[in-house]
Protein backbone atom coordinates (compact mmCIF):
# COMPACT_ATOMS: atom_id res chain seq x y z
CA UNK A 1 0.00 0.00 0.00
CA UNK A 2 1.39 3.40 -0.98
CA UNK A 3 1.83 5.95 1.81
CA UNK A 4 -0.83 8.63 2.07
CA UNK A 5 0.19 12.03 0.72
CA UNK A 6 0.13 15.03 3.07
CA UNK A 7 -2.73 16.49 1.02
CA UNK A 8 -4.81 13.32 1.39
CA UNK A 9 -4.03 13.20 5.11
CA UNK A 10 -5.17 16.81 5.60
CA UNK A 11 -8.39 16.13 3.70
CA UNK A 12 -9.06 13.10 5.89
CA UNK A 13 -8.41 15.11 9.02
CA UNK A 14 -10.74 17.84 7.86
CA UNK A 15 -13.50 15.29 7.28
CA UNK A 16 -12.89 13.82 10.71
CA UNK A 17 -13.36 17.20 12.41
CA UNK A 18 -16.95 17.72 13.52
CA UNK A 19 -18.74 20.58 11.75
CA UNK A 20 -19.41 23.47 14.14
CA UNK A 21 -23.10 23.80 14.90
CA UNK A 22 -24.42 27.24 14.01
CA UNK A 23 -26.25 29.22 16.63
CA UNK A 24 -29.84 30.29 15.99
CA UNK A 25 -28.77 33.79 14.95
CA UNK A 26 -25.90 32.51 12.80
CA UNK A 27 -28.17 30.05 10.97
CA UNK A 28 -30.78 32.72 10.33
CA UNK A 29 -28.15 35.11 8.99
CA UNK A 30 -26.75 32.35 6.79
CA UNK A 31 -30.17 31.63 5.29
CA UNK A 32 -30.73 35.34 4.60
CA UNK A 33 -27.32 35.70 2.94
CA UNK A 34 -27.85 32.62 0.78
CA UNK A 35 -31.36 33.73 -0.19
CA UNK A 36 -30.11 37.20 -1.09
CA UNK A 37 -27.49 35.69 -3.41
CA UNK A 38 -30.17 33.61 -5.13
CA UNK A 39 -32.66 36.48 -5.41
CA UNK A 40 -29.88 38.66 -6.82
CA UNK A 41 -29.09 36.14 -9.55
CA UNK A 42 -32.65 35.19 -10.50
CA UNK A 43 -36.13 36.74 -10.33
CA UNK A 44 -37.81 35.84 -7.00
CA UNK A 45 -40.50 33.71 -8.64
CA UNK A 46 -37.76 31.41 -9.98
CA UNK A 47 -36.29 30.75 -6.52
CA UNK A 48 -37.86 28.08 -4.31
CA UNK A 49 -37.47 27.12 -0.67
CA UNK A 50 -35.73 23.97 -1.88
CA UNK A 51 -33.19 26.11 -3.75
CA UNK A 52 -32.49 28.12 -0.61
CA UNK A 53 -32.18 24.99 1.51
CA UNK A 54 -29.80 23.33 -0.96
CA UNK A 55 -27.60 26.41 -1.26
CA UNK A 56 -27.41 26.69 2.53
CA UNK A 57 -26.69 23.01 3.04
CA UNK A 58 -29.84 22.78 5.14
CA UNK A 59 -33.08 20.85 5.00
CA UNK A 60 -36.40 22.26 3.79
CA UNK A 61 -37.98 21.86 7.30
CA UNK A 62 -35.07 23.80 8.80
CA UNK A 63 -35.72 26.76 6.49
CA UNK A 64 -39.39 26.69 7.50
CA UNK A 65 -38.30 26.60 11.13
CA UNK A 66 -36.80 30.07 10.69
CA UNK A 67 -39.19 31.55 8.12
CA UNK A 68 -42.89 30.78 7.54
CA UNK A 69 -42.43 30.79 3.76
CA UNK A 70 -40.51 32.12 0.79
CA UNK A 71 -42.20 35.52 0.96
CA UNK A 72 -40.91 36.10 4.48
CA UNK A 73 -37.32 35.25 3.63
CA UNK A 74 -37.59 37.27 0.41
CA UNK A 75 -38.76 40.38 2.26
CA UNK A 76 -36.03 40.02 4.89
CA UNK A 77 -33.38 39.54 2.19
CA UNK A 78 -34.74 42.55 0.36
CA UNK A 79 -34.63 44.61 3.55
CA UNK A 80 -30.94 43.81 3.92
CA UNK A 81 -30.29 44.69 0.28
CA UNK A 82 -32.22 47.93 0.75
CA UNK A 83 -30.06 48.88 3.72
CA UNK A 84 -26.94 48.23 1.65
CA UNK A 85 -28.26 50.26 -1.28
CA UNK A 86 -29.29 53.18 0.93
CA UNK A 87 -25.82 53.17 2.45
CA UNK A 88 -24.28 53.67 -0.97
CA UNK A 89 -25.79 57.15 -1.14
CA UNK A 90 -23.72 58.26 1.84
CA UNK A 91 -20.82 60.46 0.78
CA UNK A 92 -18.63 63.05 2.55
CA UNK A 93 -19.73 66.63 1.87
CA UNK A 94 -16.42 67.76 0.40
CA UNK A 95 -15.32 68.58 -3.12
CA UNK A 96 -17.38 69.51 -6.20
CA UNK A 97 -21.01 68.45 -5.99
CA UNK A 98 -20.95 66.63 -9.34
CA UNK A 99 -17.91 64.59 -8.30
CA UNK A 100 -19.64 63.57 -5.08
CA UNK A 101 -22.67 62.46 -7.07
CA UNK A 102 -20.41 60.58 -9.51
CA UNK A 103 -19.00 58.49 -6.67
CA UNK A 104 -22.51 57.86 -5.33
CA UNK A 105 -23.82 56.79 -8.74
CA UNK A 106 -20.82 54.56 -9.35
CA UNK A 107 -21.63 52.66 -6.16
CA UNK A 108 -25.33 52.63 -7.07
CA UNK A 109 -24.65 51.16 -10.51
CA UNK A 110 -22.29 48.65 -8.93
CA UNK A 111 -25.16 47.47 -6.74
CA UNK A 112 -27.47 47.30 -9.76
CA UNK A 113 -24.93 45.22 -11.68
CA UNK A 114 -24.53 42.80 -8.77
CA UNK A 115 -28.27 42.36 -8.10
CA UNK A 116 -29.58 42.56 -11.66
CA UNK A 117 -32.58 40.22 -11.89
CA UNK A 118 -33.75 40.89 -8.35
CA UNK A 119 -33.31 44.65 -8.75
CA UNK A 120 -35.28 44.63 -12.02
CA UNK A 121 -38.10 42.52 -10.61
CA UNK A 122 -38.41 44.78 -7.58
CA UNK A 123 -38.52 48.10 -9.46
CA UNK A 124 -40.81 46.87 -12.19
CA UNK A 125 -43.32 45.77 -9.54
CA UNK A 126 -44.34 42.84 -11.71
CA UNK A 127 -42.93 40.11 -9.52
CA UNK A 128 -45.31 37.63 -7.93
CA UNK A 129 -43.33 38.29 -4.73
CA UNK A 130 -44.29 41.98 -4.70
CA UNK A 131 -46.13 42.99 -1.54
CA UNK A 132 -46.66 45.96 0.78
CA UNK A 133 -43.51 44.82 2.57
CA UNK A 134 -41.36 44.89 -0.57
CA UNK A 135 -42.84 48.22 -1.64
CA UNK A 136 -42.01 49.67 1.77
CA UNK A 137 -38.37 48.63 1.35
CA UNK A 138 -37.87 50.42 -1.94
CA UNK A 139 -39.78 53.47 -0.66
CA UNK A 140 -37.38 53.64 2.27
CA UNK A 141 -34.41 53.49 -0.10
CA UNK A 142 -35.89 56.34 -2.16
CA UNK A 143 -36.40 58.45 0.96
CA UNK A 144 -32.84 57.80 2.11
CA UNK A 145 -31.50 58.75 -1.33
CA UNK A 146 -33.56 61.95 -1.37
CA UNK A 147 -32.40 62.94 2.13
CA UNK A 148 -28.75 62.37 1.20
CA UNK A 149 -28.98 64.42 -2.01
CA UNK A 150 -30.75 67.30 -0.24
CA UNK A 151 -28.11 67.20 2.50
CA UNK A 152 -25.40 67.76 -0.14
CA UNK A 153 -27.24 70.85 -1.35
CA UNK A 154 -27.20 72.16 2.25
CA UNK A 155 -30.15 74.50 1.79
CA UNK A 156 -31.84 75.35 5.12
CA UNK A 157 -35.39 74.85 3.87
CA UNK A 158 -35.62 72.91 0.56
CA UNK A 159 -38.72 73.97 -1.35
CA UNK A 160 -41.37 71.53 -2.60
CA UNK A 161 -40.14 72.28 -6.12
CA UNK A 162 -36.58 71.27 -5.27
CA UNK A 163 -37.78 68.12 -3.50
CA UNK A 164 -39.76 67.23 -6.60
CA UNK A 165 -36.66 67.73 -8.76
CA UNK A 166 -34.66 65.35 -6.56
CA UNK A 167 -37.43 62.72 -6.50
CA UNK A 168 -37.79 62.95 -10.27
CA UNK A 169 -34.06 62.49 -10.72
CA UNK A 170 -34.09 59.40 -8.47
CA UNK A 171 -36.87 57.96 -10.62
CA UNK A 172 -34.76 58.74 -13.69
CA UNK A 173 -31.84 56.85 -12.14
CA UNK A 174 -34.08 53.82 -11.57
CA UNK A 175 -35.47 53.86 -15.11
CA UNK A 176 -32.00 54.34 -16.60
CA UNK A 177 -30.67 51.45 -14.50
CA UNK A 178 -33.42 49.13 -15.74
CA UNK A 179 -32.68 50.08 -19.34
CA UNK A 180 -28.96 49.55 -18.71
CA UNK A 181 -29.64 46.04 -17.40
CA UNK A 182 -31.95 45.26 -20.31
CA UNK A 183 -29.16 46.35 -22.70
CA UNK A 184 -26.66 44.04 -20.96
CA UNK A 185 -24.93 46.89 -19.17
CA UNK A 186 -24.32 48.91 -22.27
CA UNK A 187 -23.21 51.66 -22.70
CA UNK A 188 -20.31 51.30 -20.26
CA UNK A 189 -21.00 52.05 -16.63
CA UNK A 190 -18.86 55.22 -16.66
CA UNK A 191 -20.99 56.72 -19.43
CA UNK A 192 -24.24 55.97 -17.61
CA UNK A 193 -22.82 57.43 -14.40
CA UNK A 194 -21.72 60.62 -16.20
CA UNK A 195 -25.08 61.05 -17.86
CA UNK A 196 -27.02 60.61 -14.62
CA UNK A 197 -24.87 63.14 -12.81
CA UNK A 198 -25.16 65.65 -15.64
CA UNK A 199 -28.93 65.10 -15.75
CA UNK A 200 -29.04 66.12 -12.10
CA UNK A 201 -26.93 69.23 -12.66
CA UNK A 202 -29.12 70.27 -15.60
CA UNK A 203 -32.30 69.70 -13.57
CA UNK A 204 -30.82 71.72 -10.71
CA UNK A 205 -30.10 74.68 -13.01
CA UNK A 206 -33.61 74.56 -14.48
CA UNK A 207 -35.10 74.47 -10.98
CA UNK A 208 -32.92 77.42 -9.93
CA UNK A 209 -34.57 79.51 -12.66
CA UNK A 210 -37.81 79.17 -10.67
CA UNK A 211 -36.41 79.05 -7.11
CA UNK A 212 -34.70 82.24 -5.83
CA UNK A 213 -33.08 80.52 -2.85
CA UNK A 214 -31.57 77.83 -5.06
CA UNK A 215 -30.50 80.43 -7.63
CA UNK A 216 -28.63 82.29 -4.88
CA UNK A 217 -26.75 79.09 -3.95
CA UNK A 218 -26.02 78.05 -7.54
CA UNK A 219 -22.90 80.26 -8.01
CA UNK A 220 -21.31 78.60 -5.01
CA UNK A 221 -22.00 75.12 -6.38
CA UNK A 222 -20.57 76.02 -9.79
CA UNK A 223 -17.54 77.85 -8.36
CA UNK A 224 -16.48 74.62 -6.62
CA UNK A 225 -16.52 72.70 -9.92
CA UNK A 226 -13.58 72.50 -12.35
CA UNK A 227 -13.18 71.71 -16.08
CA UNK A 228 -12.50 68.03 -15.40
CA UNK A 229 -15.67 67.49 -13.34
CA UNK A 230 -18.93 66.16 -14.82
CA UNK A 231 -20.31 69.70 -14.60
CA UNK A 232 -17.33 71.08 -16.52
CA UNK A 233 -17.90 68.53 -19.29
CA UNK A 234 -21.60 69.42 -19.39
CA UNK A 235 -20.89 73.15 -19.74
CA UNK A 236 -18.48 72.47 -22.61
CA UNK A 237 -21.07 70.28 -24.35
CA UNK A 238 -23.75 72.94 -23.96
CA UNK A 239 -21.38 75.66 -25.08
CA UNK A 240 -20.58 73.64 -28.18
CA UNK A 241 -24.23 73.84 -29.20
CA UNK A 242 -23.78 77.57 -29.82
CA UNK A 243 -21.72 76.62 -32.88
CA UNK A 244 -24.79 75.00 -34.48
CA UNK A 245 -25.90 77.30 -37.32
CA UNK A 246 -28.99 79.28 -36.40
CA UNK A 247 -29.14 78.13 -32.79
CA UNK A 248 -27.77 81.32 -31.14
CA UNK A 249 -30.28 83.39 -33.10
CA UNK A 250 -33.16 81.08 -32.17
CA UNK A 251 -32.19 81.26 -28.51
CA UNK A 252 -31.85 85.02 -28.65
CA UNK A 253 -35.32 85.34 -30.12
CA UNK A 254 -36.77 83.24 -27.32
CA UNK A 255 -35.13 85.49 -24.72
CA UNK A 256 -36.98 88.54 -26.01
CA UNK A 257 -39.83 89.85 -23.80
CA UNK A 258 -43.14 88.03 -24.22
CA UNK A 259 -45.55 90.50 -25.87
CA UNK A 260 -48.54 88.95 -24.10
CA UNK A 261 -46.94 89.35 -20.68
CA UNK A 262 -45.74 92.86 -21.52
CA UNK A 263 -49.32 93.95 -22.21
CA UNK A 264 -50.70 92.72 -18.90
Amino acid sequence: MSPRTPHAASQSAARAQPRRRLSVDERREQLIAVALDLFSARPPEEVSIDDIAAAAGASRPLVYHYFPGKQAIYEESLRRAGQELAGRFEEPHTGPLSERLARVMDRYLGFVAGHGPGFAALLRGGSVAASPGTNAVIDEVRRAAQDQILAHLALPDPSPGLRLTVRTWIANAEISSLAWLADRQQPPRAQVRQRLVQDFVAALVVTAAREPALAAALPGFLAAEHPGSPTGALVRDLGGLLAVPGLPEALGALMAPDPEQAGT
Side-chain angles (χ1 to χ4, degrees):
M1 179 180 295
S2 60
R4 298 168 67 188
T5 65
H7 178 66
S10 64
Q11 284 187 323
S12 177
R15 285 193 297 268
Q17 292 178 353
R19 184 179 293 179
R20 186 177 72 85
R21 188 179 184 87
L22 298 178
S23 69
V24 171
D25 289 341
E26 287 173 335
R27 174 63 78 180
R28 190 173 189 276
E29 290 299 315
Q30 182 213 22
L31 291 173
I32 292 170
V34 165
L36 181 55
D37 284 343
L38 292 173
F39 290 131
S40 297
R42 289 144 57 187
E45 54 266 29
E46 296 181 9
V47 178
S48 68
I49 286 290
D50 289 333
D51 293 331
I52 296 170
S59 66
R60 179 186 175 94
L62 182 62
V63 178
Y64 278 114
H65 175 73
Y66 288 90
F67 298 95
K70 188 181 83 170
Q71 185 67 29
I73 195 171
Y74 174 63
E75 291 186 8
E76 183 57 35
S77 301
L78 191 62
R79 192 171 294 110
R80 300 299 177 86
Q83 291 171 352
E84 178 188 346
L85 181 54
R88 296 193 180 202
F89 282 89
E90 297 178 1
E91 174 70 22
H93 295 190
T94 56
L97 177 63
S98 67
E99 291 188 345
R100 298 182 224 167
L101 289 180
R103 290 189 289 270
V104 168
M105 295 317 296
D106 192 63
R107 293 193 295 268
Y108 175 84
L109 291 171
F111 179 93
V112 170
H115 299 76
F119 179 87
L122 170 65
L123 289 188
R124 288 195 179 108
S127 168
V128 297
S131 71
T134 61
N135 293 336
V137 170
I138 194 61
D139 285 344
E140 184 62 31
V141 172
R142 289 167 177 156
R143 282 194 296 272
Q146 175 181 296
D147 290 345
Q148 288 291 333
I149 300 304
L150 288 173
H152 281 283
L153 297 177
L155 295 176
D157 187 20
S159 69
L162 178 56
R163 291 181 179 276
L164 179 59
T165 294
V166 173
R167 287 198 298 269
T168 302
W169 177 73
I170 292 170
N172 175 40
E174 293 176 359
I175 294 169
S176 299
S177 298
L178 290 175
W180 185 58
L181 288 175
D183 291 336
R184 300 183 179 182
Q185 299 184 27
Q186 290 296 325
R189 177 166 150 185
Q191 290 184 25
V192 178
R193 177 191 67 215
Q194 181 92 332
R195 177 173 178 173
L196 287 171
V197 173
Q198 291 178 340
D199 284 350
F200 180 81
V201 174
L204 196 65
V205 172
V206 171
T207 305
R210 311 183 187 108
E211 302 275 349
L214 179 58
L218 195 59
F221 295 146
L222 296 179
E225 301 285 342
H226 57 83
S229 71
T231 298
L234 175 62
V235 171
R236 286 195 301 277
D237 290 343
L238 294 176
L241 288 175
L242 295 177
V244 176
L247 186 58
E249 292 78 10
L251 292 174
L254 289 173
M255 292 178 65
D258 185 350
E260 294 185 2
Q261 289 186 352
T264 58

